[in-house]
Amino acid sequence: MHVFQPLTVEDLEINPFTLYGKQWGAVTAMNGRKVNAMTIAWGAMGELWGVHTATIYVRASRYTKEFLDAQDAFSISFFNDTYKGALKYLGQVSGRDEDKIKNARLHVNIEDEIPFIDEANFVILCKKLYAIDLPTEGFTGAGKDMPDKWYADGDIHTMYVGQITKMMAR
């Protein structure tokens, strides 16, 4: 297991657009004793309801959604570029069919009863505050064509807002 140091929001020197959109991350959650993870490229960080939050979006069809719905916590792990292949694997293979974390040659660690991927260089631990399926009728203005582009098959995203309880870096 790797040694992580705690970070405060004042310590962060990241670009969230690069972090999510270019580097990608892995959301990890537990269901009973089983852990699953999937690649994410959509997300946000900021202030909401008086607390520091991280927001992720997971499609209804994803196996990891069952894990997110079963527990009140999740993590988001970010990696250096050498793990891009492992992240692609986590995004292409279902945990329903195999232990994809193991097969991606990654390892699970636990902090504050929240699982995360040990090879990460930056980890955000969250307690769930809010979850909602994104209704397609909510798209307006410049976004009115988004349902046709992203949800033609009906596989909508659930938005999860988590209170950041801890951030860690190597």
Side-chain angles (χ1 to χ4, degrees), residues 115-151:
F116 67 94
I117 305 298
D118 193 58
E119 286 77 8
N121 59 5
F122 174 52
V123 176
I124 302 170
L125 303 179
C126 296
K127 295 285 186 179
K128 278 192 320 193
L129 293 174
Y130 189 78
I132 189 168
D133 294 339
L134 294 178
T136 55
E137 61 272 6
F139 288 95
T140 63
K144 67 181 185 224
D145 295 330
M146 294 293 181
D148 291 337
K149 179 178 180 179
W150 295 103
Y151 303 113

Side-chain angles (χ1 to χ4, degrees), residues 60-72:
S61 63
R62 297 303 298 254
Y63 183 52
T64 304
K65 184 178 183 324
E66 295 176 26
F67 289 69
L68 287 161
D69 292 341
Q71 295 294 316
D72 289 330

